[in-house]
Amino acid sequence: FGPFDSGRDGFSLGEGSAMLVLESIEHAKERDANILAILENAEISIDAFDIVKADPQRVSRHMAQTLYNKRGRLRKVDVNYGHYTATGEGDSREAQAWKLTTGKDADKTAITGTKGALLHTIGASGAINSAVAVMGLDRGAIVPTTNLVNRGPEFEDLDIVTESRIFTPGFPRNAVVFAFGFGGQNAGAVFRRP
């Protein structure tokens, strides 16, 4: 079973890698690069709460830091490429953290968990999710969560993407990517269309 499924009981190990080239806009324009996305914000934190279990309050703090804009307001994002791994507690705790962070607007962001299709590539998963998010922004699409048969009740109030969503050019406008590791390692990045 994949992320968000009521029968999920652990992730499946995968293999893969991804790389993104980060450079200044000026440099990209100078070399006439095809700019796929702009990195608006990136945050890392270590909360050292537990070797395995994530604390939703601490994860929520990290999510908020990632989503704050320059005016100190919570940035609205069109897509959340979450870390969702298909583990019982992990998916629930991450969803709880998202709800704590976004409050009544939790269901206004499309959420997808790519590990249902790509499996868990451990240290590469954040880079792979980032590449998928950037390609989605460039192509006007959101990839679905696969292997989701029966949605767990704790996810009923979220907009989980279960089928590919293709949009007109210009949408989605932005996406957030989260990655969480053992020992409370947290990473988040917000990408937007150029």
Side-chain angles (χ1 to χ4, degrees), residues 44-119:
I44 58 171
S45 67
I46 299 175
D47 61 49
F49 172 72
D50 187 283
I51 192 65
V52 177
K53 295 178 183 176
D55 174 42
Q57 294 283 347
R58 294 169 194 248
V59 172
S60 175
R61 256 195 315 272
H62 171 76
M63 288 177 166
Q65 288 173 330
T66 302
L67 292 172
Y68 279 132
N69 63 24
K70 292 177 183 173
R71 294 184 304 272
R73 295 194 183 119
L74 212 55
R75 180 185 283 114
K76 303 277 190 212
V77 288
D78 293 329
V79 190
N80 173 350
Y81 286 87
H83 186 71
Y84 299 99
T85 59
T87 57
E89 281 192 42
D91 287 9
S92 295
R93 288 171 182 260
E94 186 174 349
Q96 186 181 355
W98 179 252
K99 292 174 191 178
L100 286 170
T101 305
T102 56
K104 61 181 175 47
D105 294 330
D107 65 341
K108 292 183 173 53
T109 299
I111 298 175
T112 188
T114 61
K115 290 176 183 69
L118 304 175
L119 309 180

Side-chain angles (χ1 to χ4, degrees), residues 121-133:
T121 55
I122 310 298
S125 63
I128 291 172
N129 251 9
S130 294
V132 171

